Amino acid sequence: MDIKKQVEDSLIKHKKQTITLWELESICSGSYCSYAELSQAILELEESGVLQMVKAQGRNGKEPSLVYQYRINKSMLNRSLQKELQLAELRLDPNIKLNAYYSLPIEVWLEDQLFIEQIDAYLREFPMPHEPVPAPERSFELVGDEKWITEGGGEELLNRIRLWEQMKVLSVADPLMFAINPRGVHANSHVHHHLIVENKTTFQALLQELPVVPFTSLIYGSGKKVIRSIELLSYQLPLNPNNHRFHYFGDIDHEGINIWYALDRKVNGLYGEPVRLAIPFYEACVQKPYAQGKETQRKDEKAMEAFLSHFDALIQLTIQTTLSNGGYYPQEIIKSTELRQIWRSAVWTD
């Protein structure tokens, strides 16, 4: 690596506002670097204003002379990064978009650079993928590490450079767990309704009712897992993706509300459909005495606002008051017989 670039990268990562000459010299300690090479790089950074002399510390008296301590001008480093990004945009495959890095910390660009170079090399050798493949396979193709996408920040990087969708990566989520209503699958109706329930107890309670309700499937969400595994629905149940309607029933607590909100955004992106709240179940919950607990759950204001907007003012107030008092409504608050009766008798279809 170019000595000046090596020093700049170290300055970016340096936590303090000043740096000593000894610390600068240690940057090259792992590889051969002469005093002449290092001093030239440092003097160039002095001249550009990146390094500024702390006068009280003086110079070392060698030829050329360097300062014992420098102040780091990070704003000048940011200008240097912008020039580097502009050059990279000219050099890299045009499908790689670097716009995000202009507003991100410099450290993110430094961490991503090597992977971006590997992705660029891949794009120059192979056409853009046409078929989706599992994440580990695509990950190994791109950077030689099968865990990079799922565990090494690869998904985030591909989103930053706007290649995630184009890379056609199949989720490695657990398979989606659901039961099928044969009448629903083979019905003439062009719309397929799916009820997603957060917990296993509710899933089992409703399972025997599936053949007599106008739903194609009953999906066991298993908490947060459904947010990823819902991607697999179109593969596990290959019906017309434009004809799905999703309904959700979860606990009335912050966790359950947050799961629905994240799932709604995910399904909207995949199918262009919202995840409708299964209102009759929720209305039955708030008629019961609430349970106490879940005080430490994280509240998402946007999720809460979106959730409450589906209910009338009285139910909104009931839910807000309950959660503020440290209470919640678990799905299990409704007995199995009542759950089945609600599913049978409520109006669900458009």
Side-chain angles (χ1 to χ4, degrees):
M1 181 189 287
D2 175 77
I3 301 301
K4 181 182 175 184
K5 181 69 167 59
Q6 194 172 344
V7 173
E8 284 180 329
D9 291 350
S10 296
L11 293 175
I12 289 166
K13 298 174 184 176
H14 194 70
K15 302 298 182 185
K16 298 179 182 178
Q17 292 184 340
T18 60
I19 188 168
T20 65
L21 180 57
W22 178 83
E23 288 172 314
L24 287 167
E25 289 173 337
S26 68
I27 292 170
C28 298
S29 60
S31 58
Y32 176 75
C33 173
S34 67
Y35 178 80
E37 291 172 317
L38 178 63
S39 60
Q40 180 182 349
I42 293 174
L43 289 172
E44 287 179 10
L45 291 169
E46 273 193 57
E47 186 176 348
S48 66
V50 171
L51 290 175
Q52 299 170 342
M53 175 183 182
V54 177
K55 294 182 179 180
Q57 302 299 320
R59 291 185 173 270
N60 64 358
K62 292 185 179 180
E63 185 58 40
S65 178
L66 298 176
V67 177
Y68 281 116
Q69 189 174 40
Y70 289 95
R71 187 170 289 103
I72 304 169
N73 186 339
K74 296 250 178 163
S75 65
M76 294 301 297
L77 283 171
N78 284 330
R79 293 182 193 175
S80 176
L81 170 66
Q82 290 181 1
K83 290 180 182 178
E84 186 176 335
L85 288 173
Q86 290 165 359
L87 291 173
E89 286 174 329
L90 296 173
R91 177 173 50 83
L92 295 170
D93 185 281
N95 288 294
I96 297 174
K97 309 299 182 185
L98 302 181
N99 307 55
Y101 293 98
Y102 286 95
S103 58
L104 288 170
I106 304 174
E107 292 85 350
V108 179
W109 166 248
L110 294 179
E111 291 169 2
D112 289 359
Q113 263 185 300
L114 175 61
F115 298 116
I116 290 173
E117 295 291 346
Q118 291 174 296
I119 294 166
D120 177 63
Y122 172 87
L123 291 174
R124 292 182 185 282
E125 186 173 356
F126 303 102
M128 198 67 75
H130 295 293
E131 296 294 329
V133 300
E137 181 180 339
R138 184 71 76 222
S139 187
F140 191 80
E141 287 177 346
L142 292 175
V143 302
D145 178 359
E146 70 279 7
K147 296 182 179 180
W148 174 69
I149 285 178
T150 55
E151 299 178 23
E155 181 175 348
E156 292 80 3
L157 187 152
L158 289 170
N159 271 308
R160 274 196 289 276
I161 62 176
R162 301 183 186 177
L163 277 180
W164 175 251
E165 297 295 334
Q166 292 168 271
M167 283 295 115
K168 298 189 179 299
V169 180
L170 277 178
S171 169
V172 290
D174 291 334
L176 186 66
M177 294 175 278
F178 60 90
I180 296 176
N181 179 356
R183 294 175 59 211
V185 170
H186 299 295
N188 292 327
S189 171
H190 68 286
V191 176
H192 295 282
H193 291 266
H194 308 276
L195 175 61
I196 305 166
V197 295
E198 183 180 339
N199 300 328
K200 189 182 297 182
T201 304
T202 308
F203 176 84
Q204 291 175 338
L206 291 172
L207 190 56
Q208 68 188 66
E209 211 63 31
L210 181 58
V212 298
V213 294
F215 279 75
T216 300
S217 78
L218 173 64
I219 298 173
Y220 168 42
S222 188
K224 293 180 180 178
K225 288 185 179 180
V226 71
I227 299 168
R228 289 189 65 85
S229 59
I230 197 66
E231 298 176 7
L232 301 176
L233 178 65
S234 58
Y235 297 98
Q236 294 180 230
L237 192 61
L239 302 170
N240 187 331
N242 297 318
N243 294 341
H244 293 298
R245 299 292 183 273
F246 299 90
H247 308 259
Y248 185 81
F249 175 40
D251 295 337
I252 304 179
D253 59 15
H254 291 302
E255 182 73 7
I257 291 169
N258 294 345
I259 291 170
W260 163 76
Y261 186 65
L263 180 63
D264 179 57
R265 287 181 292 174
K266 184 67 169 285
V267 168
N268 250 312
L270 291 170
Y271 300 100
E273 275 289 321
V275 177
R276 298 160 170 81
L277 291 174
I279 297 295
F281 290 123
Y282 286 105
E283 289 178 338
C285 282
V286 298
Q287 301 303 317
K288 314 289 184 183
Y290 63 78
Q292 199 68 37
K294 310 289 184 78
E295 294 90 343
T296 60
Q297 288 186 345
R298 180 184 63 85
K299 180 180 180 180
D300 183 319
E301 294 290 351
K302 289 184 178 179
M304 177 62 72
E305 182 180 349
F307 180 81
L308 291 175
S309 69
H310 293 273
F311 301 95
D312 64 38
L314 181 58
I315 292 180
Q316 288 185 30
L317 180 60
T318 301
I319 293 172
Q320 287 176 309
T321 303
T322 298
L323 296 181
S324 297
N325 291 334
Y328 73 106
Y329 297 95
Q331 290 181 288
E332 294 81 0
I333 208 167
I334 308 177
K335 294 184 181 299
S336 297
T337 53
E338 187 179 357
L339 280 169
R340 291 193 286 269
Q341 190 275 328
I342 293 170
W343 205 18
R344 276 197 313 271
S345 61
V347 176
W348 301 102
T349 55
D350 297 335

